[in-house]
Amino acid sequence: MQKVKMPVTLDPVKAAQKRSEYEGIYASETLTRLNENLLTSQDLVTVRIECSTDQQGLTVLQGSASCEVSVSCERCGQPMDVSLDCNFAYTPVKPGNEAALDNIPECYDVIERDEHGEINLRQLVEDELILTLPLFPMHDEAVCTVKAAEMSFGDIGPEAEKPNPFAILQELKKK
């Protein structure tokens, strides 16, 4: 299959009327916010988008994105390969149209269109991939270079005796 570059922006209403489907790639160097959180990334991010209209008459963008990245393990600090795969479903709204938000089902996320009626498709995909990143990436314990016994950082000494805050009440009770 030929790898086609995905458009940066898209008019979702026109694309939904045509029932357009896009399948292609984004170069990973164009996703700068995602790359800030990575050690390395695969050259290409594979993206698939389907534009349609649902039974309520809402414009819907459904799609998926995937790529291979390398992050730093929180336990040992060594590089760790992670596969990012995400699925998403959006419905575009005009900015400031709060009344439209009440009629949107929970299965759709909302995205605002710009003044030209378009959305930034590349930014949408980048946001979804960032949300897919693990919060605390760690190798499996069997694979990680730092073992469980090495994760102990010393003994905690006995807790110092603290005065009882109710001792004053005890004395008042005796009187």
Side-chain angles (χ1 to χ4, degrees), residues 55-76:
Q55 294 174 344
Q56 284 183 300
L58 295 172
T59 301
V60 177
L61 297 169
Q62 291 183 319
S64 62
S66 62
C67 66
E68 295 291 325
V69 298
S70 179
V71 294
S72 180
C73 174
E74 292 290 323
R75 188 179 299 136
C76 67

Side-chain angles (χ1 to χ4, degrees), residues 21-35:
E21 292 184 12
Y22 299 91
E23 191 166 347
I25 57 165
Y26 282 122
S28 62
E29 64 265 6
T30 62
L31 307 176
T32 56
R33 291 179 299 127
L34 175 65
N35 287 327

Side-chain angles (χ1 to χ4, degrees), residues 10-110:
L10 173 71
D11 185 334
V13 175
K14 288 181 182 177
Q17 289 171 347
K18 295 177 184 176
R19 301 189 60 79
S20 299
E21 292 184 12
Y22 299 91
E23 191 166 347
I25 57 165
Y26 282 122
S28 62
E29 64 265 6
T30 62
L31 307 176
T32 56
R33 291 179 299 127
L34 175 65
N35 287 327
E36 291 173 358
N37 300 306
L38 307 175
L39 296 176
T40 60
S41 65
Q42 193 180 37
D43 291 338
L44 304 173
V45 175
T46 305
V47 181
R48 177 170 170 66
I49 304 284
E50 296 174 7
C51 305
S52 62
T53 305
D54 71 356
Q55 294 174 344
Q56 284 183 300
L58 295 172
T59 301
V60 177
L61 297 169
Q62 291 183 319
S64 62
S66 62
C67 66
E68 295 291 325
V69 298
S70 179
V71 294
S72 180
C73 174
E74 292 290 323
R75 188 179 299 136
C76 67
Q78 297 298 316
M80 176 180 148
D81 293 333
V82 176
S83 178
L84 300 181
D85 295 309
C86 61
N87 294 312
F88 48 87
Y90 282 92
T91 185
V93 295
K94 293 179 183 176
N97 190 358
E98 303 300 324
L101 297 177
D102 297 334
N103 299 327
I104 297 174
E106 289 183 16
C107 61
Y108 301 136
D109 290 321
V110 176

Side-chain angles (χ1 to χ4, degrees), residues 65-158:
S66 62
C67 66
E68 295 291 325
V69 298
S70 179
V71 294
S72 180
C73 174
E74 292 290 323
R75 188 179 299 136
C76 67
Q78 297 298 316
M80 176 180 148
D81 293 333
V82 176
S83 178
L84 300 181
D85 295 309
C86 61
N87 294 312
F88 48 87
Y90 282 92
T91 185
V93 295
K94 293 179 183 176
N97 190 358
E98 303 300 324
L101 297 177
D102 297 334
N103 299 327
I104 297 174
E106 289 183 16
C107 61
Y108 301 136
D109 290 321
V110 176
I111 188 166
E112 288 188 357
R113 299 185 304 189
D114 64 11
E115 63 274 359
H116 305 293
E118 295 182 337
I119 59 167
N120 189 326
L121 197 56
R122 182 172 57 197
Q123 184 177 353
L124 181 141
V125 169
E126 184 175 25
D127 290 344
E128 287 295 328
L129 289 171
I130 289 171
L131 290 172
T132 307
L133 282 171
L135 291 177
F136 301 103
M138 286 189 265
H139 293 110
D140 290 332
E141 285 189 41
V143 178
C144 197
T145 58
V146 176
K147 301 300 177 207
E150 297 171 357
M151 288 189 271
S152 175
F153 296 104
D155 294 329
I156 298 176

